[in-house]
């Protein structure tokens, strides 16, 4: 890590600590995908972390002298309430809220000689350096398909075509629902990879325009494949060959070559064949287009309404309690590294890291392993250079370790303990274990406390959003069957909202009963939604092919799914079990 090494070389190791923290958080927030999308995934939370570090450095001065152990927990609790509420609005906002609060805790508790403003700038320098390397370094696997900076986008688009082939192969079998979900996930990832921040509204290079055209050409293929899977009939094996050849062409930048002979026996197969031919043409001739979603980017007022709605308030209150209580306990026990406890609690309370008990146990195991390794290693070596080497090694391991929370915890534990020594504090591996286990116990307790009001608002919001998106999609298909572009936008929004709702349900179902409650009624809602959206897609393909009214069989299926969805949604609302 260059910023930390420069600080040590300048005989100011403490200045390298905020920079190393910024780079560490950048590594945690980065995920596989497009380089441009990493700007928002990494850069926006880095700004929040810098603001938190600055705010935290000012907190000890708040209140009367000598009252820090009473004032700090309250201030951190209030900050946790705001950060937790904002975290409920999306994945990037979740990273921002967590980084803001953790950095504030570190800024308030870590005794660094640098002033708050300098700490914030150093934090941004470390995150900026990590982001710069993410943007300019080539990936491990190079292809001949264009500039290396689009490798992530190219792989994401190729995965869409491969997922289409997988769904076609699974049609008529028991694996079709899972393959349809995999196709939705691939489309979501490709859309995110291609729609990152840009200086211009449209794609600015030939390579990028080509990728946009290839992604747009995959959308009709996905629609046709979904309709064919809905029909429930097995398909000839050669039907999947075309999408596989297109996936290979995207990955390698080569021509797609000859496509298999068409099979045009019904509306779904005709739509698939037409989409294949259009895709082959688009690979060479069609210009790119801007990527749109039905709802677009929400405005500030919409984000605030969502943040301070029932789901935001519920999560914010739990974050506030975990952070405030852990800070009060640590200050009351007069721990030298009191900030470790609330910082650990903030990470643990994040719901997107898995079920509560699972992430607590993973955190405990990872901390013990990391602290044990650190204690054994630094009993043999001394001096700043081994610590810098440990930080650099851990920083390189973070992208791999994020695949499992326990592994990530072990790597981060070694990194943080190394930074503590560089900051001039004593070695504290055993203290790290004790305080982390105490924070785990606090989060388990607070996470299972009954709070005022109805629980599970996060799942409820996801369900309501998915239901509204499904109805918008159905209305558009019936009213404007020939509007392929508008239908595609609404279809993407419906399937994406459905995937979010399903993820929220799966997380809730994996929790212990005091947190999860019963989810049977919501399973009925999710099942009815999936059947309705798939049937709507099949109807869209039929209407686009025939330009006529729906056949009675399709209309009856739509009516049945609407009635089932309405009954399940009303039953779950009456029982209040969406938790």
């Amino acid at each position: 890590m260059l910023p930390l090494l420069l600080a040590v070389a300048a005989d100011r190791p403490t200045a390298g600590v905020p920079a190393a923290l910024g780079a560490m958080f950048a590594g945690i927030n980065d995920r596989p995908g497009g380089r441009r999308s990493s700007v928002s995934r990494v850069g926006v939370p880095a700004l929040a972390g810098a603001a938190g570090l600055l705010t935290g450095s000012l907190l000890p001065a708040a209140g009367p002298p000598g009252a820090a152990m009473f004032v700090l927990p309250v201030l951190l609790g209030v900050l946790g309430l705001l950060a937790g509420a904002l975290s409920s609005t999306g994945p990037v906002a979740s990273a921002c809220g967590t980084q803001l609060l953790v950095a504030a805790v570190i800024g308030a508790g870590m005794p660094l000689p640098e002033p708050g403003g300098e700490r914030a700038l150093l934090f941004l320098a470390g995150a900026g350096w990590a982001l710069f390397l993410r943007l300019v370094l080539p990936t491990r696997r190079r292809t001949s398909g264009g500039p290396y900076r689009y490798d992530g986008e190219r792989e994401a688009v190729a995965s869409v075509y491969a997922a289409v082939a997988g769904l076609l192969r699974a049609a008529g079998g028991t694996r079709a629902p899972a393959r349809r979900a995999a196709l939705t996930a691939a489309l979501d990832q490709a859309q995110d990879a291609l729609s990152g921040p840009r200086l211009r509204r449209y794609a600015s290079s030939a390579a990028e325009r080509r990728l946009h055209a290839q992604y747009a050409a995959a959308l009709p293929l996905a629609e046709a494949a979904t309709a064919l899977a809905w029909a429930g009939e097995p398909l000839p094996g050669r039907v999947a060959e075309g999408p596989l050849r297109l996936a290979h062409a995207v990955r390698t930048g080569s021509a797609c070559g000859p496509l298999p002979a068409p099979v045009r026996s019904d509306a779904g197969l005709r739509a698939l064949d037409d989409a294949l031919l259009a895709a082959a043409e688009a690979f060479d001739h069609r210009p790119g287009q801007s990527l749109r979603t039905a709802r677009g980017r929400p405005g500030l007022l919409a984000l605030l309404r969502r943040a301070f709605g029932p789901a935001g308030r519920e999560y914010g209150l739990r974050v506030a309690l975990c952070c405030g209580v852990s800070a009060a306990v640590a200050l009351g026990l007069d721990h030298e590294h009191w900030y470790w406890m609330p910082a650990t609690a903030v990470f643990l309370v994040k719901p997107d890291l898995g079920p509560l008990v699972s992430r607590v146990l993973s955190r405990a195991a990872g901390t013990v392993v990391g602290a044990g390794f650190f204690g054994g290693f630094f009993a043999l070596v001394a001096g700043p250079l081994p610590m810098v080497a440990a930080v650099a090694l851990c920083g390189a391991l973070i992208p791999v370790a994020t695949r499992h929370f326990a592994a990530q915890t072990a790597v981060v534990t070694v990194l943080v303990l190394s930074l503590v020594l560089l900051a001039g504090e004593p070695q504290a591996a055993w203290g790290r274990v004790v305080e982390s286990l105490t924070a785990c116990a606090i989060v388990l307790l607070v996470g299972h406390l009954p709070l005022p009001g109805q629980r599970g608002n996060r799942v409820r919001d996801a369900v309501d959003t998915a239901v509204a998106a499904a109805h918008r999609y159905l209305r558009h298909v019936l009213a404007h069957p020939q509007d392929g572009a508008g239908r595609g936008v609404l279809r993407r929004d419906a399937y994406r909202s459905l995937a979010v709702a399903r993820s929220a349900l799966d997380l809730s179902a994996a929790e212990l009963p005091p947190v999860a409650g019963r989810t049977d009624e919501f399973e009925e809602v999710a099942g009815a939604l999936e059947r309705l959206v798939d049937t709507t897609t099949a109807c869209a393909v039929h209407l686009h092919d025939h330009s006529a009214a729906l056949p009675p069989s399709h209309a009856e299926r739509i009516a049945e799914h609407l009635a089932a969805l309405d009954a399940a949604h009303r039953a779950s609302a009456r029982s209040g079990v969406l938790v």
Side-chain angles (χ1 to χ4, degrees):
M1 298 179 69
L2 183 61
L4 181 60
L5 188 60
L6 291 176
V8 172
D11 200 24
R12 289 191 58 192
T14 58
V17 172
L21 287 172
M24 180 191 77
F25 279 115
I28 292 174
N29 290 327
D30 197 12
R31 292 292 184 271
R35 296 171 190 270
R36 179 179 287 120
S37 58
S38 67
V39 174
S40 57
R41 288 196 310 266
V42 175
V44 178
L47 293 173
L53 206 57
L54 177 60
T55 302
S57 65
L58 302 175
L59 289 181
M69 66 176 298
F70 303 105
V71 176
L72 271 179
V74 175
L75 294 178
L76 290 174
V78 172
L79 190 61
L81 180 64
L82 298 175
L86 292 174
S87 294
S88 66
T89 61
V92 175
S94 177
C96 288
T98 301
Q99 200 157 315
L100 170 71
L101 193 52
V102 171
V105 170
I106 293 174
M110 183 175 280
L112 296 174
E114 288 76 20
E118 186 176 342
R119 295 186 203 179
L121 291 176
L122 290 167
F123 185 94
L124 285 177
W129 174 248
L131 181 58
F132 174 76
L133 294 178
R134 174 70 171 87
L135 295 175
V136 302
L137 291 181
T139 54
R140 180 173 57 87
R141 185 181 65 182
R142 290 294 307 275
T143 67
S144 59
Y148 71 84
R149 65 180 180 274
Y150 297 126
D151 285 352
E153 289 88 341
R154 186 181 300 109
E155 180 59 34
V157 174
S159 296
V160 173
Y161 286 97
V164 169
L167 179 57
L168 292 172
R169 285 175 168 173
T174 57
R175 300 179 63 190
R179 292 297 185 183
R180 201 269 300 150
L183 175 58
T184 297
L187 285 164
D188 290 344
Q189 184 176 356
Q191 183 175 343
D192 291 342
L194 292 172
S195 60
R198 63 179 70 250
L199 297 178
R200 298 180 181 180
R201 182 179 178 184
Y202 299 102
S204 58
S205 69
E208 189 177 6
R209 287 192 297 270
R210 182 181 176 86
L211 281 171
H212 279 238
Q214 291 169 344
Y215 170 80
L219 298 179
L221 274 174
E223 181 181 59
T226 302
L228 289 168
W230 172 85
E233 297 293 334
L235 300 171
R238 62 190 175 92
V239 169
E241 292 179 10
L244 286 176
R245 292 182 184 180
L246 294 175
H248 177 74
V250 175
R251 286 192 174 99
T252 62
S254 60
C256 61
L259 298 175
V263 182
R264 303 178 65 86
S265 56
D266 60 31
L269 288 170
R270 285 192 292 273
L272 181 71
D273 182 51
D274 291 340
L276 276 173
L277 294 176
E281 179 185 359
F283 271 41
D284 295 325
H285 302 294
R286 188 173 300 172
Q289 62 187 64
S290 60
L291 302 178
R292 298 183 295 132
T293 59
R295 289 168 288 172
R297 294 180 182 273
L300 179 60
L301 291 179
L303 284 175
L304 290 177
R305 281 195 296 269
R306 185 176 177 185
F308 295 102
R313 293 197 302 270
E314 178 187 329
Y315 178 56
L317 184 56
R318 292 198 182 275
V319 174
L321 286 174
C322 288
C323 186
V325 169
S326 57
V329 170
L331 288 168
L333 295 175
D334 197 23
H335 281 202
E336 185 175 8
H337 305 94
W338 68 266
Y339 56 91
W340 282 354
M341 200 178 293
T344 299
V346 171
F347 268 118
L348 284 174
V349 81
K350 275 175 65 67
D352 47 3
L353 294 176
L356 181 60
V357 173
S358 173
R359 61 182 182 262
V360 166
L361 293 177
S362 296
R363 179 77 187 201
T367 300
V368 171
V369 171
F373 176 83
F374 176 86
F377 179 74
F378 283 97
L380 304 176
V381 299
L385 289 182
M387 288 180 279
V388 173
V391 171
L393 178 61
C394 291
L397 290 175
I398 281 178
V400 179
T402 52
R403 298 175 182 177
H404 195 282
F405 191 44
Q408 176 183 316
T409 299
V411 172
V412 170
T413 296
V414 176
L415 192 152
V416 169
L417 290 172
S418 301
L419 291 178
V420 166
L421 283 182
L422 284 171
E425 298 184 64
Q427 201 264 62
W430 173 246
R432 175 73 172 172
V433 171
V434 173
E435 294 181 10
S436 292
L437 294 180
T438 306
C440 289
I442 292 173
V443 171
L444 277 177
L445 176 63
V446 173
H448 291 87
L449 282 178
L451 296 179
Q454 195 174 39
R455 298 193 63 164
N457 291 294
R458 184 168 177 263
V459 178
R460 190 183 313 278
D461 282 356
V463 171
D464 291 341
T465 300
V467 170
H471 280 101
R472 284 196 301 269
Y473 177 36
L474 175 61
R475 287 194 299 267
H476 187 87
V477 165
L478 298 179
H480 309 284
Q482 301 304 312
D483 181 14
R487 183 176 74 243
V489 171
L490 291 168
R491 183 179 65 251
R492 284 271 53 247
D493 191 49
Y495 278 110
R496 185 162 196 151
S497 300
L498 180 58
V500 171
R502 174 58 71 181
S503 296
L505 169 65
D506 292 343
L507 176 62
S508 177
E511 299 282 9
L512 292 180
V515 177
R518 301 190 343 251
T519 56
D520 294 342
E521 286 80 357
F522 179 69
E523 286 286 354
E524 295 181 8
V525 177
L529 264 178
E530 290 168 349
R531 292 188 292 272
L532 175 62
V533 176
D534 285 346
T535 305
T536 302
T537 300
C539 291
V541 171
H542 181 89
L543 289 172
H544 190 79
D545 182 66
H546 291 82
S547 300
L550 279 179
S553 59
H554 286 60
E556 290 174 4
R557 295 278 291 273
I558 287 287
E560 290 174 3
H561 297 330
L562 282 173
L565 175 61
D566 184 61
H569 203 209
R570 284 188 285 106
S572 63
R574 284 196 305 269
S575 61
V577 297
L578 291 183
V579 296

